[in-house]
């Protein structure tokens, strides 16, 4: 095969209480093409990403190394619509694209489940990678090097309204503020909300979703890193939406609502803020990573 092109969706991970566990695929995409070449080369991305550390190449290489095969030369062309370091799964999308490209070019014939288990060590956790591969809402766990993933339905009227600022927040910085331990009672409260969240999203029950998003593991420590997040939360509340959380590690924020006018309302309300916020409603992607 001379060339394979793949399309991978953005993802919103954690969903409040689902820290490193839950994620949902969204209708914003990176498209990458992989072609045999004499060495490693790139097009479509900035020079700083044209190195062997490029995450698409890391995903590509992982399959060959998993089977002890020599990694062939490859040219990777990247068309990326998912913003980097914004909490929308850009890293996972690149890794998944590389794995899927290698799976086709290398003739490995692996399932998405197998690909997910092979490349999860690159990311460290499967919360973004699972929905990137499978689409929709997923929950995942890693046991003994194998990743187990289940999918949940999302109410068709539930809308994902994303608020992305004009500043990045690295995952490293977002993890550096997390506590090393939490009280037992806090953990129990977290688990109870996590148990109810998938059903709340299936029902589209906004009140229950809002209660389930009251996370104690990471958001209290990360919200202070996201300038104006408190103001946007208040704006959402005044517009009738309390189902508000951080998308991934941030700085993108997320509202879950059945109100089709929320995105427009937030855009208008946010015009007076110090930072520029890209506010948009994204549909759930139900297909996940795929060849095109």
């Amino acid at each position: 095969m001379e060339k394979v092109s793949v399309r991978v969706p953005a993802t919103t991970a954690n969903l409040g209480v689902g820290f490193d566990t839950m994620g949902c695929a969204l209708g914003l995409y990176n498209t990458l093409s992989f072609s045999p070449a004499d060495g490693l080369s790139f097009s479509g991305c900035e020079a700083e990403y044209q190195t062997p550390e490029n995450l698409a190449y890391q995903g590509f290489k992982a399959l060959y190394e998993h089977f002890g095969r020599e990694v062939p030369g490859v040219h990777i062309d990247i068309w990326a619509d998912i913003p980097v370091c914004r909490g929308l799964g850009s890293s996972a999308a690149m890794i998944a694209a590389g794995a899927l490209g290698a799976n086709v070019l290398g003739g490995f014939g692996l399932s998405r489940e197998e690909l997910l288990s092979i490349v999860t060590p690159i990311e460290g956790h499967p919360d973004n990678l699972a929905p990137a591969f499978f689409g929709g809402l997923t929950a995942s766990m890693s046991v003994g090097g194998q990743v187990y993933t289940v999918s949940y339905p999302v109410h068709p009227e539930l809308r994902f309204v994303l608020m992305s600022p004009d500043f990045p927040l690295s995952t490293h910085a977002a993890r550096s503020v997390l506590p090393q331990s939490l009280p037992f009672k806090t953990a129990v409260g977290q688990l109870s909300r996590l148990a109810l969240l998938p059903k709340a999203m299936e029902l589209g029950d906004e009140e229950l979703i809002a209660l389930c998003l009251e996370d104690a593991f990471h958001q209290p420590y990360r919200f202070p890193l996201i300038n104006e997040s408190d103001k946007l939360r208040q704006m959402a509340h005044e517009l009738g939406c309390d189902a508000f959380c951080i998308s991934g590690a941030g700085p993108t924020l997320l509202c879950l609502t059945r109100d089709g006018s929320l995105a427009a309302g937030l855009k208008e309300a946010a015009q007076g803020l110090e930072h520029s916020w890209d506010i948009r409603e994204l549909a759930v992607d139900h297909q996940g990573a795929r060849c095109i």
Side-chain angles (χ1 to χ4, degrees), residues 150-227:
V150 295
S151 297
Y152 295 100
V154 177
H155 194 283
E157 294 179 10
L158 193 62
R159 301 166 182 268
F160 289 67
V161 177
L162 285 300
M163 297 151 275
S164 298
D166 56 5
F167 57 86
L169 175 61
S170 73
T171 301
H172 175 75
R175 284 191 174 268
S176 69
V177 298
L178 300 183
Q180 295 300 308
S181 63
L182 290 166
F184 185 82
K185 184 178 180 180
T186 300
V188 172
Q190 188 88 353
L191 288 172
S192 64
R193 287 174 169 81
L194 178 58
L196 271 60
L197 180 59
K199 189 64 177 180
M201 293 182 67
E202 178 185 351
L203 295 172
D205 187 330
E206 294 174 76
E207 181 179 356
L208 185 55
I209 293 171
L211 292 171
C212 290
L213 297 184
E214 292 180 5
D215 156 79
F217 274 17
H218 68 108
Q219 292 190 144
Y221 310 96
R222 288 174 166 172
F223 271 126
L225 301 179
I226 305 172
N227 192 22

Side-chain angles (χ1 to χ4, degrees), residues 190-275:
Q190 188 88 353
L191 288 172
S192 64
R193 287 174 169 81
L194 178 58
L196 271 60
L197 180 59
K199 189 64 177 180
M201 293 182 67
E202 178 185 351
L203 295 172
D205 187 330
E206 294 174 76
E207 181 179 356
L208 185 55
I209 293 171
L211 292 171
C212 290
L213 297 184
E214 292 180 5
D215 156 79
F217 274 17
H218 68 108
Q219 292 190 144
Y221 310 96
R222 288 174 166 172
F223 271 126
L225 301 179
I226 305 172
N227 192 22
E228 299 183 317
S229 60
D230 54 341
K231 295 179 181 179
L232 282 161
R233 181 196 284 273
Q234 182 61 30
M235 290 174 184
H237 171 73
E238 292 173 357
L239 290 167
C241 179
D242 289 319
F244 183 96
C245 66
I246 299 172
S247 178
T252 294
L253 306 170
L254 168 66
C255 281
L256 295 173
T257 181
R258 292 170 69 167
D259 179 3
S261 67
L262 180 64
L266 284 171
K267 282 183 181 180
E268 183 177 354
Q271 287 181 1
L273 294 179
E274 174 187 353
H275 291 281

Side-chain angles (χ1 to χ4, degrees), residues 4-285:
V4 59
S5 296
V6 300
R7 190 182 191 213
V8 187
T11 50
T12 179
N14 296 329
L15 296 170
V17 293
F19 182 69
D20 281 2
T21 301
M22 294 196 73
C24 189
L26 301 172
L28 181 67
Y29 302 93
N30 282 356
T31 302
L32 290 83
S33 296
F34 300 83
S35 308
D38 292 335
L40 175 62
S41 60
F42 297 88
S43 58
C45 64
E46 297 176 8
E48 63 181 299
Y49 298 115
Q50 297 186 22
T51 73
E53 302 307 310
N54 181 288
L55 289 172
Y57 181 66
Q58 290 295 308
F60 183 90
K61 182 176 70 168
L63 263 67
Y64 289 90
E65 292 182 341
H66 179 79
F67 290 101
R69 286 173 52 178
E70 182 179 354
V71 184
V74 62
H75 177 78
I76 305 175
D77 180 66
I78 300 172
W79 182 273
D81 287 331
I82 305 172
V84 177
C85 291
R86 291 299 194 279
L88 289 170
S90 61
S91 296
M94 299 297 279
I95 294 167
L100 190 56
N103 195 41
V104 176
L105 282 184
F108 293 105
L110 299 178
S111 67
R112 294 185 187 191
E113 290 84 356
E114 291 170 314
L115 294 176
L116 176 60
S117 290
I118 291 171
V119 299
T120 288
I122 301 173
E123 182 90 331
H125 37 85
D127 55 346
N128 283 116
L129 278 167
F133 274 116
F134 294 102
L137 175 66
T138 65
S140 309
M141 67 176 183
S142 298
V143 180
Q146 182 173 347
V147 179
Y148 298 84
T149 298
V150 295
S151 297
Y152 295 100
V154 177
H155 194 283
E157 294 179 10
L158 193 62
R159 301 166 182 268
F160 289 67
V161 177
L162 285 300
M163 297 151 275
S164 298
D166 56 5
F167 57 86
L169 175 61
S170 73
T171 301
H172 175 75
R175 284 191 174 268
S176 69
V177 298
L178 300 183
Q180 295 300 308
S181 63
L182 290 166
F184 185 82
K185 184 178 180 180
T186 300
V188 172
Q190 188 88 353
L191 288 172
S192 64
R193 287 174 169 81
L194 178 58
L196 271 60
L197 180 59
K199 189 64 177 180
M201 293 182 67
E202 178 185 351
L203 295 172
D205 187 330
E206 294 174 76
E207 181 179 356
L208 185 55
I209 293 171
L211 292 171
C212 290
L213 297 184
E214 292 180 5
D215 156 79
F217 274 17
H218 68 108
Q219 292 190 144
Y221 310 96
R222 288 174 166 172
F223 271 126
L225 301 179
I226 305 172
N227 192 22
E228 299 183 317
S229 60
D230 54 341
K231 295 179 181 179
L232 282 161
R233 181 196 284 273
Q234 182 61 30
M235 290 174 184
H237 171 73
E238 292 173 357
L239 290 167
C241 179
D242 289 319
F244 183 96
C245 66
I246 299 172
S247 178
T252 294
L253 306 170
L254 168 66
C255 281
L256 295 173
T257 181
R258 292 170 69 167
D259 179 3
S261 67
L262 180 64
L266 284 171
K267 282 183 181 180
E268 183 177 354
Q271 287 181 1
L273 294 179
E274 174 187 353
H275 291 281
S276 175
W277 291 82
D278 178 21
I279 299 174
R280 67 174 94 181
E281 180 185 312
L282 293 178
V284 175
D285 173 276

